Amino acid sequence: MFYVTFGAVAGVLVVRQAAKAAAALSPGSVAGSLVASLSDFMADVREFMAEREDELRDALGLYDDPDEDELPPADPDATVHLPRVRRP
């Protein structure tokens, strides 16, 4: 009687584990995990892009106060005028 009960319990456990493994490898489950992985990857890429953009903006001085470093007014005499070229 002990071995019959033991065999039945072992059989139930093996069938349940096999069902879980089959469900984990189903196309829907694999696609869902792939989508989750891609979503995590894209979130990491967006975060890195934002950090890099901040670094670039800081390096270019775009975060500085615009009133501090105003460009001097343009000198009209220093302007180079190019002749117009007509194309046939």
Side-chain angles (χ1 to χ4, degrees):
M1 188 65 143
F2 171 76
Y3 291 111
V4 171
T5 305
F6 180 75
V9 170
V12 168
L13 291 176
V14 167
V15 169
R16 289 184 71 187
Q17 290 296 329
K20 284 182 186 178
L25 295 176
S26 70
S29 177
V30 171
S33 65
L34 181 63
V35 168
S37 297
L38 285 175
S39 296
D40 291 342
F41 174 72
M42 290 306 297
D44 291 342
V45 168
R46 284 187 199 104
E47 181 180 342
F48 176 74
M49 285 177 16
E51 289 174 7
R52 184 65 180 142
E53 185 176 353
D54 283 342
E55 290 172 4
L56 291 172
R57 286 177 181 270
D58 190 39
L60 293 173
L62 297 177
Y63 287 140
D64 295 339
D65 189 16
D67 295 334
E68 288 180 6
D69 299 325
E70 287 188 24
L71 294 174
D75 182 13
D77 296 329
T79 304
V80 176
H81 296 283
L82 299 175
R84 291 182 182 243
V85 178
R86 287 189 171 193
R87 292 188 178 179

